Each structure stands twice: as C-alpha cells, then as structure tokens.
C-alpha cells in the first residue's frame, strides 16, 4: 500500500502567499544591498570628502565605511520590504526582476572601469 | 617549510573560507536545480532540504568570514604605507603602484576585488534565508526556485571575481 511519504508533491502553481512574498522581499533587499555597495563606492571615488567620511577605521580606510553603509542599507531595506510585502499584494515577478537588475548594477558599479569615470582623485 | 602569521591568515581568507565557498556552489546549485516538487517524494524533499539548508547556511557563513577577514585582517597589511627606504616586498600595494607593469593589479584588480567581494555574503544570506525559512515553497514555485538559484549564482559570480583577482594579485605581490 502506498504511503503518503512516497507520493509525489503537488507542483501546481501556488498563489502569492506570505512565504512567497517574504522570499521576494529578501531577494530585492539583497539587490538593494549590492547596489548600495556600488553607489557608495562610486560616490567615494567621485568625491574625496565622501571617501574621508567613510574612513571609519584607519587601517582599512574608506572600505570600512562603504561595507558598513551597504550592509546597513541592505538590512534596513530587508525589514522595510518584508513589512510592505506582508501588508499588501505585490507583483512577485516584478520584484524578482528588480532584484537582479539591482545586483547587476551593483556588480557594474563596483568595477573600476565604471567608477573611474566619476573619479576626481 | 614555514608560514608567517600573515601568510596563514591570507591562506585561511582565500583558500579555506573563500575556496570552500566556491567549491560548495556547485553542490548547492545542483540541489536547488533538483528541488522540484514534481520529481521528489515527501521524504526525498525532506532529505534534499536538509542538505540544502546546511549547504546554503554554510556558504553564507563562509562568505561573511571571507569578506570580513579580507577587509579587516588582510587588507590593512596590503595597504600599509612603507617608511622611506623600506623594502617594498613587504608592502604589496606600494610595490604594485611603484611598478608601471604591475600597477593595474592594484588600480583595477584590488579596487574591484575589495568592493565586489561584499556582494557575495549579502546574496548568499538571502539564499540561505529563502531555503531555511521557505524551502518547501521553493519546491512548489518554479519561478521562486529559479530566482533563488540565480541569486546563488550571483553570489558565486561576485566571489569568483574577488577570489580570482585575489589569487592573481597575491601572485604579483604577496602579503608577507
């Protein structure tokens, strides 16, 4: 006799449950964190004053501030997006698309070929 | 055969934390790829999820260890400013900048590595969260599973750029 543990999982499409929205929020927040790293890197390159502001720990230099700011923005975005996603219907596919646009922009804007275009140092 | 404390730290940063992270990618990617409800039984799904949870959590932890040890332990040694007349072999950044044939290893290589490396732990943590908290949902929602697999690959891509450049920079100007 077949038991329930050996039966196949129902793989039909699921509605946008809180679980689905929670994953989408986590992915978008990660994208925002990546983009934040790219933006602070570019800003730091564009303005010496920003680089000095981000120099929180002298042995590491401005990288210490860039990492701290990016991680803080990522975590704040995660909390906020989770609340937004829980409170209202969202277009999950669009959120997922946005997440990867942000990640791609993050990778691009941490590359010297990009941020050197704005360099004043 | 001996290693200095600095060389030991750099080895842990690049080969233990970073290297194991990169090796674990394919195991995680395969497990995520195969996490489809239509091809797994309930007990099969439980087994696959347990493996995936341990794998993605381990990868997230390794990604943070790699980024933090790189930025706050190895990087200060790399960028230390040499006193006048010092042997530049002990000051990698200064050594690279002083040589026109090598200076792109700093201005392109290290400048990209030090920043892009931070994308890996952020992306890997999102993947670990999705798998730990909502793993069974990923098995039912193909769109979500593929998105998490893509984020897993983004973490790997960022770590590959950082790790690859790190290995090449270390070859040109090792931390001693």
């Amino acid at each position: 006799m077949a038991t329930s543990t050996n039966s196949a999982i129902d793989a039909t499409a699921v509605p946008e449950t809180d679980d689905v929205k929670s994953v989408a929020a986590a992915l978008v927040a990660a994208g925002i964190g990546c983009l934040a790293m790219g933006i602070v890197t570019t800003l730091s390159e564009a303005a010496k004053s920003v680089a000095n502001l981000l120099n929180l720990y002298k042995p590491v230099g401005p990288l210490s501030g860039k990492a701290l700011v990016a991680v803080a923005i990522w975590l704040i975005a995660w909390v906020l997006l989770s609340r937004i996603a829980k409170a209202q219907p969202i277009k999950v596919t669009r959120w997922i698309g946005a997440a990867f646009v942000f990640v791609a922009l993050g990778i691009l804007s941490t590359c010297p070929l990009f941020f050197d275009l704005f360099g004043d140092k | 055969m001996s290693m200095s404390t600095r060389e030991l730290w750099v080895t842990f940063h690049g080969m233990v934390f970073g290297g194991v992270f990169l090796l674990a990618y394919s195991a995680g990617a395969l497990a995520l790829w195969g996490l489809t409800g239509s091809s797994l039984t309930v007990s099969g799904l439980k087994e696959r999820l347990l493996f995936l949870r341990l794998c993605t959590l381990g990868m997230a932890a390794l990604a943070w260890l790699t980024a933090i040890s790189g930025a706050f332990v190895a990087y200060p040694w790399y960028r230390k400013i040499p006193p006048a007349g010092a042997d530049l072999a002990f000051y990698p950044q200064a050594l690279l900048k002083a040589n026109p044939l090598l200076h792109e290893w700093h201005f392109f290589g290290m400048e990209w590595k030090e920043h892009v490396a931070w994308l890996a732990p952020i992306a890997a943590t999102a993947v670990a969260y999705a798998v730990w908290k909502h793993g069974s949902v990923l098995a039912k929602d193909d769109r979500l599973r593929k998105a998490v697999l893509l984020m897993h690959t983004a973490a790997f891509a960022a770590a590959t750029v950082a790790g690859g450049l790190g290995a090449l920079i270390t070859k040109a100007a090792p931390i001693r």
Side-chain angles (χ1 to χ4, degrees), chain B residues 28-53:
Chain B
L30 272 174
L32 265 172
W33 182 259
L35 190 73
T36 52
S38 58
S39 62
L40 287 173
T41 60
V42 172
S43 56
L45 177 67
K46 273 186 185 166
E47 275 176 33
R48 182 70 61 96
L49 269 179
L50 178 64
F51 172 78
L52 251 180
R53 283 177 173 143

Side-chain angles (χ1 to χ4, degrees), chain A residues 9 16 22 58 66 100 110, chain B residues 79 112 115 129 134 143 147:
Chain A
I9 303 291
E16 311 298 24
S22 171
K58 214 174 171 192
K66 292 175 202 171
F100 292 106
T110 54
Chain B
R79 69 193 296 269
W112 197 10
H115 298 113
Y129 170 81
H134 308 292
R143 169 195 57 165

Side-chain angles (χ1 to χ4, degrees), chain B residues 21 24-25 27-29 31-32 48-64 120-121 123-133 138 148 152:
Chain B
F21 174 89
Y25 163 79
L32 265 172
R48 182 70 61 96
L49 269 179
L50 178 64
F51 172 78
L52 251 180
R53 283 177 173 143
L54 295 174
C55 180
T56 54
L57 187 71
M59 283 182 73
L62 285 168
W64 282 110
T125 305
V127 171
Y129 170 81
V131 170
W132 265 91
K133 197 93 198 298
L138 301 184
V148 171
H152 182 68

Side-chain angles (χ1 to χ4, degrees), chain B residues 117-166:
Chain B
W118 285 93
L119 275 53
I122 292 174
T125 305
V127 171
Y129 170 81
V131 170
W132 265 91
K133 197 93 198 298
H134 308 292
S136 53
V137 178
L138 301 184
K140 294 176 188 166
D141 190 324
D142 248 14
R143 169 195 57 165
L144 218 54
R145 181 179 56 84
K146 285 176 182 165
V148 171
L149 177 57
L150 193 56
M151 188 60 80
H152 182 68
T153 303
F156 173 74
T160 300
V161 171
L165 287 171

Side-chain angles (χ1 to χ4, degrees), chain A:
Chain A
M1 193 174 88
T3 62
S4 62
T5 52
N6 287 329
S7 59
I9 303 291
D10 177 15
T12 52
V14 292
E16 311 298 24
T17 60
D18 280 352
D19 287 343
V20 172
K21 292 194 285 184
S22 171
V23 173
L27 294 177
V28 178
I32 289 173
C34 294
L35 181 58
M37 188 65 189
I39 290 172
V40 289
T41 299
T42 305
L43 287 176
S44 169
E45 196 62 26
K48 186 99 177 149
S49 56
V50 176
N52 291 336
L53 260 178
L54 292 167
N55 193 354
L56 303 178
Y57 178 55
K58 214 174 171 192
V60 176
L63 179 62
S64 54
K66 292 175 202 171
L68 188 76
V69 168
V71 169
I73 289 174
W74 162 54
L75 293 174
I76 292 166
W78 196 349
V79 171
L80 292 178
L81 289 169
S82 295
R83 285 186 184 174
I84 291 168
K86 208 170 183 181
Q88 62 193 57
I90 62 164
K91 293 187 173 171
V92 169
T93 308
R94 278 197 191 173
W95 277 46
I96 290 171
F100 292 106
V101 170
F102 295 152
V103 170
L105 289 173
I107 291 175
L108 174 73
S109 52
T110 54
C111 178
L113 295 176
F114 176 82
F115 66 65
D116 279 349
L117 298 173
F118 306 92
D120 79 336
K121 290 188 255 174

